Amino acid sequence: MSDSNPYATPKAELRGPGPGRGRPRWVWAIFIFYMFSAVATLFSFYFVYSGAIPLPEEQKQYLADLTVFDHVLSFGILGLNLAAAVQLFRLRRISVNLFLTALALGVLATMWKVATKGWLAATGGSGSSVLLGWGIAVAVCLYAWRLARKGILK
């Protein structure tokens, strides 16, 4: 009769993940990096659009030319990156597709803004920070893909 008692003490041994089976350190680093980047991006949007940061005329004109679609696209990419980072932190395989989608949309959005919005003039012609960002995103995609291939992401 004691086996059917729902209030009885469990007989199974409870154990943690054990050595070597916890969350990889790079997963923590990526998660923290993307969370920090999202907060920094939101603050920069606020400070730029509130006028707290003085901008050169080219950048003012660039921002004035952005449409609702441009803003929705930017925040959509930000949201995809946040969702991907959370899913990677949860060790979920879907993070690979989310990171890849965010990267592809980011590249396409930048090409769109270069072709139609005067993005190069607004940034002074240097895309080095964007290239660095894409490089980090590619590295994160490859790392997540490797974790998925090893069976660490479920």
Side-chain angles (χ1 to χ4, degrees):
M1 272 299 188
S2 66
D3 290 333
S4 63
N5 181 358
Y7 302 107
T9 304
K11 292 179 174 59
E13 183 182 343
L14 300 176
R15 290 182 276 159
R21 291 182 43 197
R23 195 169 277 111
R25 286 189 178 114
W26 278 110
V27 169
W28 279 98
I30 291 166
F31 177 74
I32 291 168
F33 172 77
Y34 275 93
M35 293 302 122
F36 176 78
S37 296
V39 170
T41 298
L42 292 175
F43 273 116
S44 67
F45 269 105
Y46 171 75
F47 287 124
V48 164
Y49 281 103
S50 70
I53 298 174
L55 298 174
E57 268 316 303
E58 297 85 8
Q59 290 179 352
K60 286 180 184 176
Q61 185 59 45
Y62 169 77
L63 292 173
D65 289 344
L66 293 178
T67 64
V68 172
F69 174 77
D70 296 314
H71 290 295
V72 168
L73 183 60
S74 294
F75 284 108
I77 293 167
L78 177 69
L80 273 172
N81 277 316
L82 282 174
V86 167
Q87 293 306 314
L88 180 65
F89 188 76
R90 295 182 64 219
L91 300 178
R92 300 289 187 246
R93 184 180 293 269
I94 190 70
S95 64
V96 178
N97 291 335
L98 292 170
F99 276 126
L100 286 170
T101 302
L103 174 61
L105 284 175
V107 169
L108 290 173
T110 302
M111 291 189 321
W112 165 258
K113 290 175 183 178
V114 166
T116 64
K117 304 290 181 182
W119 182 84
L120 285 176
T123 60
S126 172
S128 58
S129 62
V130 171
L131 292 177
L132 175 64
W134 288 347
I136 291 170
V138 167
V140 168
C141 288
L142 291 172
Y143 177 69
W145 176 74
R146 189 178 68 118
L147 290 179
R149 214 176 77 204
K150 285 182 168 184
I152 296 171
L153 303 183
K154 305 293 179 199

